[in-house]
Amino acid sequence: MKNRLYYGDNLEILRSREYFPDECVDLIYLDPPFNSNRDHNVLFKEESGEDSEAQITAFEDTWHWGETAEATYRELITGAPEKVSTAIEALMNLINRNQMMAYLVMMTARLVELHRVLKPTGSLYLHCDPTASHYLKIVLDSIFGPIRFRNEIIWKRTSAHNDARRYGSVHDILLYYTKSEEFTWNETFTEFDEKYLKRFRHSDPDGRVWTDDNLTAKGLSGGGYTYEYKGATSLWRVPLETMKRLDSENRLHFTRTGGIRQKRYLDELPGRSLQDVITDIPPINSQAKERLGYPTQKPLALMERIIRASSNEGDLVFDPFCGCGTTCAAAHQLKRRWIGIDITHLGIALQKYRLGDMFELVSGTDYKVIGEPTTVEGARELARDSANEGRYQFEWWALSLVGAKPVGGQAGSRKGKKGADKGIDGIINFFEQDDKGKSKPKKVIVQVKSGKVSAKEIRDLNWTVERDKAALGVFITLENPTQPMVKEALAAGYYDSTLWQKPYRKLQILTISDLLGGAAVDMPSPHGTFKQAERVRSTDGAAQRDLM
């Protein structure tokens, strides 16, 4: 399978055998949204479900019991494997119909499909928090089997919390399961901490640093070897022949009290084996280069650790809740193939920008995006889809066609901010030179319209460009512009670039048909994105294309 992104409900996409045949994925990581900060009294309160259907949106961090949750629950009871239906019935008896149960039902349906698409040698990591982890573990045990559980991994995601009347909540949980007993595992090591390194306080004349370790077998199960060596008699861990070899290799330390200990050289140790408590990977702070402004964004280092340990180069890594694309980016950087699914066009747009910024990948050439409109009629259907906030989905998709960052878009949400744009839907940034030759940031203002348009919109855009002292204004329209609109745009004149020594139309009108046909904004280059991801210069693009 080739690298690809899907727009849409991951359950519907997962159930398509065309997209996901049985046992096709090597590694799955998922970080499904769940608001752990909500009041437990609310989470477990029974709901009528009358007005909650529109709120069952995977990236709003809200799960409500409605018709969809009820239908999925009934599907699981009647059609899921026996242990799964038994587990769901037991949870229903325990929890009842509420937000928590809605979350578990919707997650169970997806986890059943994820188990189906996972290869026998594959692994799954489910990122969650203590609010629901114990319930999710029951669900995973029913799907994978309890013996397939490998670890409950603790990731310390923040330094400290001052939570009222309880211990500070500072960690997330990753539940690690495998499909079978024969699974991919690459021994991975991390750096030793300072406390451990302080133990290496001895050194040989050649400068090699070492610490001493116990050689006696006292108190160990399995016994040992009793003999005398150079005046020291004990129950040793190694036989006499091994003791002699260690001595000949200068690996014995003879203590002042007549004991014998083994030397452990620091330069021979690969590092500390991976542990189920992760404290050496901090969260993404506000100043981090990789920070893209996505609320649940996870560090690249965390994803890289998981991918290195549980997959090999060329393997297929899959994230069904891929958000801003950290999993896909980490997989690409480590020469794995990847697939991601997101339920918002804003999320897809962020991932396209990130893949372009980090690896210079181009949508449609280096990877596919499935579910985006490819025709004008498809774009029109997207704009009309009021049940899925079509207005915002269309706007974010259209902005992604020109590489504009959304203004008013809530990362991780299916809704925008009404009335907050002040005539601006998107921004494209670039750099110009001032009179002294210094770089100066400039911007292009982008407006998107899916309905009827007139010359008034172009006049308004021109006013917004002047108000914000922008260099250019771009008007993206689903419908064809009128002749008066074209005249208004031409009357605005040109922006003269000092750096590029070229004039650019100050106001530009681009139809969706133009953009689908390959048209682009005529502007100085380069232009930025939502927030530009740090470029990865060491990635071998040719090698990645070979994988695809």
mmCIF file of all heavy atoms in Angstrom, residues 207-231:
data_model
loop_
_atom_site.group_PDB
_atom_site.id
_atom_site.type_symbol
_atom_site.label_atom_id
_atom_site.label_comp_id
_atom_site.label_asym_id
_atom_site.label_seq_id
_atom_site.Cartn_x
_atom_site.Cartn_y
_atom_site.Cartn_z
ATOM 1 N N GLY A 207 42.145 5.246 30.527
ATOM 2 C CA GLY A 207 41.043 6.206 30.547
ATOM 3 C C GLY A 207 39.663 5.601 30.444
ATOM 4 O O GLY A 207 38.667 6.330 30.543
ATOM 5 N N ARG A 208 39.551 4.299 30.266
ATOM 6 C CA ARG A 208 38.229 3.669 30.161
ATOM 7 C C ARG A 208 37.525 3.722 31.519
ATOM 8 O O ARG A 208 38.083 3.339 32.554
ATOM 9 C CB ARG A 208 38.348 2.223 29.685
ATOM 10 C CG ARG A 208 38.863 2.081 28.259
ATOM 11 C CD ARG A 208 38.799 0.615 27.832
ATOM 12 N NE ARG A 208 37.423 0.175 27.620
ATOM 13 C CZ ARG A 208 37.077 -1.095 27.473
ATOM 14 N NH1 ARG A 208 38.007 -2.055 27.574
ATOM 15 N NH2 ARG A 208 35.816 -1.426 27.252
ATOM 16 N N VAL A 209 36.291 4.190 31.506
ATOM 17 C CA VAL A 209 35.519 4.383 32.734
ATOM 18 C C VAL A 209 34.694 3.138 33.012
ATOM 19 O O VAL A 209 34.132 2.520 32.109
ATOM 20 C CB VAL A 209 34.595 5.609 32.585
ATOM 21 C CG1 VAL A 209 33.761 5.811 33.841
ATOM 22 C CG2 VAL A 209 35.429 6.862 32.289
ATOM 23 N N TRP A 210 34.638 2.760 34.304
ATOM 24 C CA TRP A 210 33.876 1.568 34.648
ATOM 25 C C TRP A 210 33.276 1.685 36.045
ATOM 26 O O TRP A 210 33.667 2.528 36.845
ATOM 27 C CB TRP A 210 34.741 0.303 34.552
ATOM 28 C CG TRP A 210 36.034 0.351 35.358
ATOM 29 C CD1 TRP A 210 37.249 0.813 34.931
ATOM 30 C CD2 TRP A 210 36.232 -0.078 36.708
ATOM 31 N NE1 TRP A 210 38.193 0.717 35.920
ATOM 32 C CE2 TRP A 210 37.597 0.146 37.033
ATOM 33 C CE3 TRP A 210 35.417 -0.631 37.692
ATOM 34 C CZ2 TRP A 210 38.143 -0.158 38.279
ATOM 35 C CZ3 TRP A 210 35.948 -0.940 38.930
ATOM 36 C CH2 TRP A 210 37.295 -0.706 39.215
ATOM 37 N N THR A 211 32.292 0.810 36.292
ATOM 38 C CA THR A 211 31.740 0.631 37.628
ATOM 39 C C THR A 211 31.843 -0.842 37.968
ATOM 40 O O THR A 211 32.000 -1.687 37.078
ATOM 41 C CB THR A 211 30.277 1.100 37.702
ATOM 42 O OG1 THR A 211 29.837 1.060 39.057
ATOM 43 C CG2 THR A 211 29.360 0.230 36.857
ATOM 44 N N ASP A 212 31.791 -1.160 39.253
ATOM 45 C CA ASP A 212 31.907 -2.568 39.649
ATOM 46 C C ASP A 212 30.527 -3.157 39.932
ATOM 47 O O ASP A 212 29.611 -2.471 40.352
ATOM 48 C CB ASP A 212 32.823 -2.727 40.852
ATOM 49 C CG ASP A 212 32.398 -1.869 42.030
ATOM 50 O OD1 ASP A 212 31.694 -0.861 41.813
ATOM 51 O OD2 ASP A 212 32.767 -2.192 43.164
ATOM 52 N N ASP A 213 30.423 -4.455 39.672
ATOM 53 C CA ASP A 213 29.157 -5.158 39.809
ATOM 54 C C ASP A 213 29.379 -6.443 40.600
ATOM 55 O O ASP A 213 30.480 -7.028 40.583
ATOM 56 C CB ASP A 213 28.585 -5.482 38.428
ATOM 57 C CG ASP A 213 27.097 -5.795 38.480
ATOM 58 O OD1 ASP A 213 26.523 -5.745 39.578
ATOM 59 O OD2 ASP A 213 26.524 -6.093 37.411
ATOM 60 N N ASN A 214 28.352 -6.875 41.269
ATOM 61 C CA ASN A 214 28.437 -8.057 42.128
ATOM 62 C C ASN A 214 28.687 -9.325 41.314
ATOM 63 O O ASN A 214 28.086 -9.537 40.267
ATOM 64 C CB ASN A 214 27.132 -8.186 42.921
ATOM 65 C CG ASN A 214 27.222 -9.253 43.986
ATOM 66 O OD1 ASN A 214 28.309 -9.690 44.361
ATOM 67 N ND2 ASN A 214 26.071 -9.674 44.484
ATOM 68 N N LEU A 215 29.579 -10.183 41.803
ATOM 69 C CA LEU A 215 29.854 -11.462 41.146
ATOM 70 C C LEU A 215 29.351 -12.645 41.963
ATOM 71 O O LEU A 215 29.400 -13.787 41.485
ATOM 72 C CB LEU A 215 31.361 -11.632 40.905
ATOM 73 C CG LEU A 215 31.879 -11.273 39.513
ATOM 74 C CD1 LEU A 215 33.393 -11.415 39.455
ATOM 75 C CD2 LEU A 215 31.232 -12.115 38.431
ATOM 76 N N THR A 216 28.887 -12.403 43.170
ATOM 77 C CA THR A 216 28.409 -13.518 43.991
ATOM 78 C C THR A 216 26.968 -13.853 43.635
ATOM 79 O O THR A 216 26.226 -13.008 43.150
ATOM 80 C CB THR A 216 28.490 -13.185 45.492
ATOM 81 O OG1 THR A 216 27.561 -12.147 45.798
ATOM 82 C CG2 THR A 216 29.898 -12.750 45.865
ATOM 83 N N ALA A 217 26.599 -15.107 43.886
ATOM 84 C CA ALA A 217 25.252 -15.588 43.577
ATOM 85 C C ALA A 217 24.405 -15.743 44.823
ATOM 86 O O ALA A 217 23.342 -16.365 44.775
ATOM 87 C CB ALA A 217 25.337 -16.913 42.822
ATOM 88 N N LYS A 218 24.833 -15.193 45.930
ATOM 89 C CA LYS A 218 24.074 -15.336 47.172
ATOM 90 C C LYS A 218 22.724 -14.650 47.045
ATOM 91 O O LYS A 218 22.632 -13.490 46.657
ATOM 92 C CB LYS A 218 24.859 -14.731 48.332
ATOM 93 C CG LYS A 218 26.180 -15.446 48.616
ATOM 94 C CD LYS A 218 26.962 -14.750 49.720
ATOM 95 C CE LYS A 218 28.288 -15.451 49.988
ATOM 96 N NZ LYS A 218 29.091 -14.764 51.032
ATOM 97 N N GLY A 219 21.699 -15.382 47.373
ATOM 98 C CA GLY A 219 20.354 -14.845 47.324
ATOM 99 C C GLY A 219 19.690 -14.951 45.972
ATOM 100 O O GLY A 219 18.503 -14.626 45.835
ATOM 101 N N LEU A 220 20.423 -15.410 44.951
ATOM 102 C CA LEU A 220 19.836 -15.555 43.618
ATOM 103 C C LEU A 220 19.225 -16.938 43.455
ATOM 104 O O LEU A 220 19.772 -17.938 43.934
ATOM 105 C CB LEU A 220 20.909 -15.343 42.537
ATOM 106 C CG LEU A 220 21.522 -13.941 42.424
ATOM 107 C CD1 LEU A 220 22.532 -13.924 41.288
ATOM 108 C CD2 LEU A 220 20.447 -12.889 42.188
ATOM 109 N N SER A 221 18.106 -17.023 42.782
ATOM 110 C CA SER A 221 17.517 -18.328 42.500
ATOM 111 C C SER A 221 18.351 -19.028 41.436
ATOM 112 O O SER A 221 18.939 -18.389 40.567
ATOM 113 C CB SER A 221 16.076 -18.156 42.008
ATOM 114 O OG SER A 221 16.044 -17.380 40.815
ATOM 115 N N GLY A 222 18.415 -20.329 41.487
ATOM 116 C CA GLY A 222 19.191 -21.081 40.500
ATOM 117 C C GLY A 222 20.580 -21.443 40.973
ATOM 118 O O GLY A 222 21.303 -22.183 40.308
ATOM 119 N N GLY A 223 20.989 -20.921 42.126
ATOM 120 C CA GLY A 223 22.287 -21.308 42.681
ATOM 121 C C GLY A 223 23.443 -20.654 41.975
ATOM 122 O O GLY A 223 23.310 -19.642 41.298
ATOM 123 N N GLY A 224 24.637 -21.233 42.145
ATOM 124 C CA GLY A 224 25.843 -20.682 41.554
ATOM 125 C C GLY A 224 26.966 -21.693 41.617
ATOM 126 O O GLY A 224 26.737 -22.911 41.584
ATOM 127 N N TYR A 225 28.226 -21.213 41.752
ATOM 128 C CA TYR A 225 29.410 -22.074 41.728
ATOM 129 C C TYR A 225 30.285 -21.725 42.937
ATOM 130 O O TYR A 225 30.720 -20.578 43.088
ATOM 131 C CB TYR A 225 30.207 -21.861 40.441
ATOM 132 C CG TYR A 225 29.357 -21.986 39.177
ATOM 133 C CD1 TYR A 225 28.675 -20.874 38.671
ATOM 134 C CD2 TYR A 225 29.233 -23.206 38.519
ATOM 135 C CE1 TYR A 225 27.904 -20.972 37.526
ATOM 136 C CE2 TYR A 225 28.461 -23.319 37.369
ATOM 137 C CZ TYR A 225 27.795 -22.200 36.888
ATOM 138 O OH TYR A 225 27.028 -22.314 35.751
ATOM 139 N N THR A 226 30.566 -22.727 43.763
ATOM 140 C CA THR A 226 31.382 -22.495 44.951
ATOM 141 C C THR A 226 32.819 -22.931 44.663
ATOM 142 O O THR A 226 33.077 -24.083 44.291
ATOM 143 C CB THR A 226 30.836 -23.279 46.149
ATOM 144 O OG1 THR A 226 29.486 -22.867 46.407
ATOM 145 C CG2 THR A 226 31.683 -23.024 47.391
ATOM 146 N N TYR A 227 33.746 -21.990 44.827
ATOM 147 C CA TYR A 227 35.174 -22.309 44.667
ATOM 148 C C TYR A 227 35.972 -21.131 45.220
ATOM 149 O O TYR A 227 35.436 -20.060 45.544
ATOM 150 C CB TYR A 227 35.533 -22.590 43.205
ATOM 151 C CG TYR A 227 35.168 -21.486 42.222
ATOM 152 C CD1 TYR A 227 36.043 -20.426 41.979
ATOM 153 C CD2 TYR A 227 33.957 -21.513 41.539
ATOM 154 C CE1 TYR A 227 35.712 -19.433 41.076
ATOM 155 C CE2 TYR A 227 33.616 -20.528 40.640
ATOM 156 C CZ TYR A 227 34.505 -19.497 40.407
ATOM 157 O OH TYR A 227 34.171 -18.503 39.525
ATOM 158 N N GLU A 228 37.292 -21.347 45.275
ATOM 159 C CA GLU A 228 38.228 -20.319 45.754
ATOM 160 C C GLU A 228 38.994 -19.779 44.562
ATOM 161 O O GLU A 228 39.451 -20.536 43.698
ATOM 162 C CB GLU A 228 39.173 -20.914 46.783
ATOM 163 C CG GLU A 228 40.155 -19.894 47.392
ATOM 164 C CD GLU A 228 41.460 -19.781 46.605
ATOM 165 O OE1 GLU A 228 41.791 -20.760 45.885
ATOM 166 O OE2 GLU A 228 42.114 -18.732 46.672
ATOM 167 N N TYR A 229 39.096 -18.439 44.518
ATOM 168 C CA TYR A 229 39.865 -17.829 43.435
ATOM 169 C C TYR A 229 40.693 -16.688 44.004
ATOM 170 O O TYR A 229 40.150 -15.724 44.577
ATOM 171 C CB TYR A 229 38.953 -17.307 42.320
ATOM 172 C CG TYR A 229 39.732 -16.835 41.101
ATOM 173 C CD1 TYR A 229 40.301 -17.758 40.227
ATOM 174 C CD2 TYR A 229 39.922 -15.475 40.846
ATOM 175 C CE1 TYR A 229 41.017 -17.336 39.121
ATOM 176 C CE2 TYR A 229 40.636 -15.041 39.742
ATOM 177 C CZ TYR A 229 41.187 -15.980 38.882
ATOM 178 O OH TYR A 229 41.914 -15.567 37.783
ATOM 179 N N LYS A 230 41.998 -16.852 43.918
ATOM 180 C CA LYS A 230 42.960 -15.859 44.393
ATOM 181 C C LYS A 230 42.654 -15.415 45.824
ATOM 182 O O LYS A 230 42.610 -14.222 46.147
ATOM 183 C CB LYS A 230 43.014 -14.662 43.461
ATOM 184 C CG LYS A 230 43.614 -15.013 42.094
ATOM 185 C CD LYS A 230 43.914 -13.771 41.252
ATOM 186 C CE LYS A 230 44.640 -14.148 39.963
ATOM 187 N NZ LYS A 230 44.974 -12.979 39.136
ATOM 188 N N GLY A 231 42.403 -16.418 46.656
ATOM 189 C CA GLY A 231 42.210 -16.178 48.074
ATOM 190 C C GLY A 231 40.807 -15.847 48.491
ATOM 191 O O GLY A 231 40.533 -15.701 49.683
#
